[in-house]
Amino acid sequence: MVIIAFGKPGAGKGTRVSELLQTRGDFSPLSVGNLLREVRKNPTDDLGKALAKYMDAGELVPDDIINKIVIGAIKQSQKHVILDGFPRTIGQATAMLSEGVIPDLIVEFYVEDEVVLQRAKVRIACSECGETYTTDGFKQPRNEGVCDLCGGALVRRKDDEESIVRNRLTVYKEQTQPVLDIFREHGLNITKILNHDRSAAAEFTRAVEKAMR
Ligand code: AMP
């Protein structure tokens, strides 16, 4: 089974996915951003350097790199997969569908641009595993500056700077939003969830359980 968590950067996809995983051990998350951050940790590597250039500017990494990494990982997974951050372009969506990876559930987590900008201002992320927290008390780590999950240091992400967030929202509108039309053209339904508060978590769980029946 393949589930897509879709939505603007900063819409809260990662948070909702990590909550769902606390109750569902039969799913494996595939966060493309986290996967790429892992690869770019090696600064001497050519691929690592190329990734840093795109990611720090809030631009998308080219499709050929992404498709190779992600479609292979989906096919190899022994568990159900939840995709966070894929597909983000028409090229990625068509490659995925033509490789026979057909999503069973597509959830669009919706928030307004202003909410995204506000969330980016208060977000801190684990430099090791990518888990995110906030500095406004909404999702605080147990120990200040330390990740609850892996003990890594919590830092501000470069791509959470306001000008970069604005660029990422423009990239989303131009390149990612049209992916929903491709899915609709293939007869796939989109479940839209307003992601303003915790009630979205229960709605997400219900949508997943319904898709599994
Ligand atoms: P995220 O953590 O999902 O917000 O992703 C962080 C950055 O990784 C994005 O701004 C892009 O530079 C890159 N990235 C993540 N997913 C993709 C994708 N599917 N296609 C291209 N670039 C991506």
Side-chain angles (χ1 to χ4, degrees), residues 85-149:
F86 182 87
R88 270 182 161 146
T89 65
I90 289 181
Q92 292 173 16
T94 47
M96 173 182 136
L97 296 173
S98 67
E99 291 264 347
V101 178
I102 312 294
D104 299 278
L105 174 67
I106 303 160
V107 174
E108 181 193 4
F109 289 102
Y110 180 79
V111 291
E112 299 75 9
D113 287 3
E114 297 68 42
V115 175
V116 169
L117 287 160
Q118 181 53 33
R119 285 181 183 169
K121 260 188 210 158
V122 298
R123 181 164 43 221
I124 42 175
C126 177
S127 53
E128 292 299 321
C129 74
E131 182 74 0
T132 57
Y133 301 86
T134 72
T135 54
D136 64 353
F138 178 71
K139 187 183 169 198
Q140 248 175 330
R142 279 191 295 274
N143 298 308
E144 200 181 324
V146 182
C147 178
D148 291 352
L149 302 185

Side-chain angles (χ1 to χ4, degrees), residues 8-10 13 31-37 40 51-63 66-67 70 84-89 92 123 130 132 157 159-160 164 168 171 175-176:
K8 293 173 186 173
K13 306 181 288 289
S31 157
V32 181
N34 285 352
L35 205 82
L36 298 177
R37 278 185 281 278
R40 68 173 275 192
L51 292 181
K53 189 181 78 172
Y54 293 110
M55 294 171 77
D56 289 345
E59 298 291 338
L60 294 179
V61 175
D63 285 353
I66 298 290
N67 289 341
V70 181
D84 168 3
F86 182 87
R88 270 182 161 146
T89 65
Q92 292 173 16
R123 181 164 43 221
T132 57
R157 266 166 50 178
D159 60 0
D160 274 339
I164 308 289
R168 296 179 74 199
V171 168
Q175 299 190 52
T176 306

